[in-house]
Amino acid sequence: MDTSLDIQLNYLPRLPKNLDMGIGCIGSGFIMADCHLVAYRQAGFNPVAIASRHRTNSQAVGDRHNIEKVYDTYQELLRDPAVSIVDIAVPPNFQLEIVREAVKHADHIKGILVQKPMAVNYQEAKEIVRLCAEAGIKLGVNQNMRYDQSIRACKSLLDQGVLGRPVFASIDMRAIPHWMPWQKELGWATLRTMSIHHLDAFRFLFGDPDRVFCSVTEDPRNGKDFRHEDGVALYILEYDNGLRTSAWDDVWTGPSREGAASDIYINWRVEGTEGTAKGSIGWPSYPQRTPSTLDYTTIQEGEKWQKPRWDEVWFPDAFMGPMAQLMCAIEDDTTPELSGEDNLKTMALVEACHVSYREHRAVPIQEILAT
């Protein structure tokens, strides 16, 4: 990375000293095969076993990533004493039942990493957190946008006071995600699958908002395939200190797959009293490796933009971050940075968005947390 200012942009995750902790992988779909395991091997982590609903898929992924043990069921994998950390990459409606089984093996399982969303609703997420806490197992959540390099670099600027007091921030998403079959089964479109990244990123950068107002409309493209409410989602987060953040998550982006030209991007912006930062998220270009970007300007440096750059990308490189922070927490006996308990606030924020658009009102986050 090249930057002309004497500012340390901590845009990469901290890695554990002990890379030998055995990781048991549950799931063999795209996220596990093309993101988790690619990043883990790159970081030198130690996946030792894999299982999924289909043995043939597990075997293919195991062979591809040199995983020696392939189990017919996740229950068999959880009984393996070589598994210290369970990495779960399955649809959210199955995560609770796997965690219920995993906590029975706290004699050798020290950590669990679940996908976002942690569960199908806030109440089930609370149950997952409770189960792990009672078993003494550290729980991490794969909110991996916190490890996108541009978001992490922006957080570093904020922590060092380079931008001053945050006044306004926004995320502008015009991109079409890869829709998963389970989303159609659950009737989910954007809020629980894509917006949850942006809501969590706002929490990471600025702390917890006090209330949210959300408005949604159907995505015409997805509307042809499955019923949903939250296609295009717009929301405003209010902080009692005066900060306002907003996002518009536009998964329609116009008829770009129906014959018109496409205009696909994700841009973000943070305006502070001492400076401004703006950036782009490279993920929409996947599988082409396109690093996210960060530009920033400050009163101290005058009327010029600083433009640090790096080679790392969100998909798949940043996926080492959520696992690394869990491994560090186990190694240091500390709370994971992406802990389940903290992620309950992100889950509550998503739930508040649903309440907001259905009842056409601003919803305090505490309203959900109190349930």
Side-chain angles (χ1 to χ4, degrees), residues 334-346:
T334 56
T335 301
E337 293 178 11
L338 292 173
S339 70
E341 185 173 2
D342 176 78
N343 193 250
L344 286 176
K345 296 178 183 179
T346 296

Side-chain angles (χ1 to χ4, degrees), residues 4 29 53 62 108 114 146 157 221 246 267 278 307 352 356 364:
S4 58
R53 287 182 295 176
H108 60 272
V114 297
R146 290 195 184 199
L157 290 177
R221 185 179 300 108
S246 69
N267 293 332
K278 62 181 181 178
K307 299 184 178 183
S356 177

Side-chain angles (χ1 to χ4, degrees), residues 112-329:
I112 297 174
L113 183 68
V114 297
Q115 289 298 301
K116 59 82 200 157
M118 198 183 340
V120 295
N121 55 46
Y122 179 69
Q123 294 303 321
E124 282 200 6
K126 284 177 66 175
E127 179 65 5
I128 288 176
V129 171
R130 184 192 68 82
L131 287 167
C132 290
E134 290 184 354
I137 293 174
K138 297 187 185 297
L139 174 65
V141 182
N142 203 340
Q143 289 280 180
N144 47 70
M145 190 174 185
R146 290 195 184 199
Y147 285 90
D148 172 83
Q149 295 79 21
S150 72
I151 296 299
R152 207 155 187 86
C154 182
K155 174 64 170 174
S156 184
L157 290 177
L158 289 166
D159 288 347
Q160 295 173 76
V162 175
L163 305 180
R165 176 177 60 83
V167 176
F168 177 69
S170 62
I171 296 175
D172 177 8
M173 170 181 165
R174 316 284 177 159
I176 305 171
H178 175 68
W179 303 106
M180 304 300 291
W182 55 264
Q183 291 178 243
K184 298 179 181 180
E185 296 169 9
L186 296 173
W188 293 1
T190 304
L191 283 174
R192 290 187 176 96
T193 57
M194 196 66 220
S195 301
I196 193 172
H197 278 302
H198 301 159
L199 292 164
D200 188 71
F202 283 142
R203 287 193 60 239
F204 174 57
L205 294 173
F206 309 114
D208 295 321
D210 296 281
R211 64 197 65 83
V212 61
F213 182 83
C214 180
S215 180
V216 301
T217 192
E218 184 185 61
D219 167 23
R221 185 179 300 108
N222 271 328
K224 297 176 183 178
D225 294 330
F226 69 101
R227 295 185 60 184
H228 68 279
E229 297 175 306
D230 60 323
V232 177
L234 305 92
Y235 42 93
I236 298 171
L237 306 184
E238 294 185 348
Y239 292 73
D240 279 351
N241 64 4
L243 172 65
R244 297 294 180 264
T245 70
S246 69
W248 38 103
D249 297 338
D250 176 11
V251 300
W252 164 239
T253 76
S256 56
R257 290 189 175 174
E258 289 74 20
S262 66
D263 186 23
I264 303 296
Y265 62 85
I266 303 177
N267 293 332
W268 60 264
R269 183 180 178 95
V270 175
E271 300 172 1
T273 55
E274 301 292 321
T276 299
K278 62 181 181 178
S280 65
I281 303 294
W283 160 76
S285 298
Y286 182 86
Q288 178 182 335
R289 285 184 63 89
T290 304
S292 299
T293 65
L294 165 73
D295 301 343
Y296 65 95
T297 182
T298 68
I299 293 173
Q300 293 79 10
E301 289 293 315
E303 297 182 6
K304 61 181 179 181
W305 288 93
Q306 305 294 339
K307 299 184 178 183
R309 292 295 183 264
W310 43 77
D311 296 326
E312 296 85 358
V313 296
W314 180 4
F315 276 57
D317 300 346
F319 280 76
M320 74 175 66
M323 178 57 73
Q325 61 86 36
L326 180 58
M327 294 170 72
C328 287

Side-chain angles (χ1 to χ4, degrees), residues 26-35 50 52 57 61 64 89 180:
I26 299 178
S28 60
F30 163 76
I31 286 293
M32 182 64 78
D34 293 275
C35 296
I50 188 170
S52 69
N57 289 350
V61 174
R64 173 182 167 188
M180 304 300 291

Side-chain angles (χ1 to χ4, degrees), residues 36-52:
H36 288 219
L37 288 170
V38 172
Y40 296 171
R41 287 304 190 195
Q42 179 180 318
F45 298 163
N46 184 29
V48 296
I50 188 170
S52 69

